[in-house]
């Protein structure tokens, strides 16, 4: 069965520091991978997605993620975080582009001034 | 497009009452999803529709929950009777090939 693991429940970084949020997936074939962000009291907003092709994908708000098949990972990165990046981040996997999407438990990002 | 629209945004009801949550997906999207989010269980997929047909309802917790999609522009999630453990934020999302787009959610409190 497909699943997504986000090993870090909370991450704290200083403003201006680099960020990497981890995501591992379990799926038999090449999955469709997503990162979403959720601000307090809001719905989930799509940051980026990977379907095929270049394994480094660029998203909104300066985020990028890299698909590594050998490690079954799809880690999210940002070179320099801003206070407004404080939110909860969800990695997700789907068997195809419009089928059901399974989410990880989320990583809550805290930013120190 | 206004995005996925959910109503109400907040609902407080007494245990045993019927609750109906509503969702208007983005026009042209073929799939619609209902998720429930709690601190303990995270984001759970309850049911999803493709072209108005329920495809997978294995996430629906029990018979008290039901969902319908009578047409491409409207879906409901009903809980009857409601229980305190149903308190959560319920999200509706719609997708076209590409990604799912979420509504703002309905925060349900059952007292």
């Amino acid at each position: 069965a497909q699943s997504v693991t986000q090993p870090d429940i909370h991450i704290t970084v200083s403003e201006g520091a680099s960020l990497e949020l981890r995501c591992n997936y379990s799926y038999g074939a090449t999955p469709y991978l997503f990162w979403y962000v959720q601000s307090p009291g809001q719905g989930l907003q799509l940051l980026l997605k990977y379907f095929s092709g270049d394994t480094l994908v660029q998203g909104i708000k300066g985020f990028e993620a890299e698909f590594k098949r050998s490690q079954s990972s799809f880690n999210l990165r940002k070179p320099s975080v801003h206070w407004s990046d404080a939110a909860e981040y969800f990695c997700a996997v789907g068997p195809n582009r419009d089928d059901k999407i399974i989410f990880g438990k989320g990583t809550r990002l805290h930013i120190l001034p | 497009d206004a995005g996925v629209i959910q109503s109400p945004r907040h609902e407080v009801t007494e245990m045993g009452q019927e609750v109906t949550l509503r969702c208007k997906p983005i026009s042209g999207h073929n799939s619609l999803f209902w998720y429930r989010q709690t601190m303990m269980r995270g984001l759970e997929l309850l049911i999803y529709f493709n072209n108005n047909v329920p495809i997978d309802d294995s996430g629906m917790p029990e018979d008290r929950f039901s969902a319908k999609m009578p047409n491409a522009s409207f879906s409901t999630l009903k809980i009857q009777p409601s229980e305190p453990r149903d308190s959560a934020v319920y999200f509706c999302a719609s997708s076209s090939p590409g990604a799912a787009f979420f509504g703002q959610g309905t925060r349900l409190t059952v007292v």
Side-chain angles (χ1 to χ4, degrees):
Chain A
Q2 62 197 73
S3 65
V4 179
T5 302
Q6 294 180 247
D8 303 305
I9 299 174
H10 295 273
I11 290 279
T12 301
V13 298
S14 298
E15 189 169 17
S18 63
L19 171 71
E20 182 169 30
L21 301 182
R22 295 183 292 166
C23 172
N24 293 96
Y25 67 89
S26 173
Y27 190 68
T30 300
Y32 293 84
L33 295 160
F34 310 85
W35 274 100
Y36 284 82
V37 60
Q38 183 180 30
S39 297
Q42 302 296 313
L44 279 71
Q45 180 185 20
L46 179 67
L47 281 177
L48 49 78
K49 59 192 178 187
Y50 171 78
F51 292 158
S52 64
D54 193 345
T55 56
L56 183 65
V57 294
Q58 303 296 321
I60 62 171
K61 304 185 181 188
F63 285 92
E64 67 178 26
E66 186 171 13
F67 171 59
K68 293 185 177 180
R69 184 191 303 274
S70 61
Q71 299 176 19
S72 297
S73 69
F74 188 57
N75 294 348
L76 182 71
R77 300 195 295 249
K78 187 170 184 178
S80 176
V81 298
H82 186 261
W83 64 266
S84 60
D85 294 325
E88 189 151 22
Y89 292 80
F90 292 90
C91 182
V93 62
N96 60 54
R97 290 186 296 177
D98 61 357
D99 206 339
K100 63 182 179 181
I101 300 173
I102 304 300
F103 286 83
K105 296 290 188 185
T107 297
R108 184 166 296 278
L109 175 64
H110 306 271
I111 307 293
L112 295 175
Chain B
D1 200 311
V4 177
I5 299 173
Q6 291 185 246
S7 64
R9 289 294 310 275
H10 301 273
E11 176 80 39
V12 180
T13 191
E14 290 185 345
M15 182 175 62
Q17 296 298 305
E18 176 180 297
V19 175
T20 299
L21 311 181
R22 297 173 176 79
C23 175
K24 177 177 167 41
I26 294 172
S27 177
H29 282 190
N30 297 324
S31 296
L32 183 141
F33 308 83
W34 282 101
Y35 288 88
R36 177 172 67 177
Q37 187 178 37
T38 61
M39 289 292 293
M40 291 298 295
R41 301 172 71 90
L43 203 58
E44 303 173 276
L45 176 65
L46 300 177
I47 184 172
Y48 84 99
F49 296 84
N50 188 259
N51 292 322
N52 311 339
V53 176
I55 302 300
D56 183 350
D57 65 354
S58 59
M60 296 286 261
E62 49 197 274
D63 292 345
R64 297 185 297 107
F65 286 69
S66 62
K68 294 182 180 179
M69 191 165 186
N71 56 62
S73 60
F74 185 65
S75 176
T76 59
L77 177 68
K78 184 180 294 186
I79 308 173
Q80 166 63 20
S82 58
E83 296 182 4
R85 60 195 169 114
D86 301 331
S87 297
V89 180
Y90 291 81
F91 287 103
C92 175
S94 70
S95 77
S96 61
F101 295 85
F102 283 74
Q104 298 279 62
T106 295
R107 181 173 294 278
L108 174 65
T109 304
V110 183
V111 298

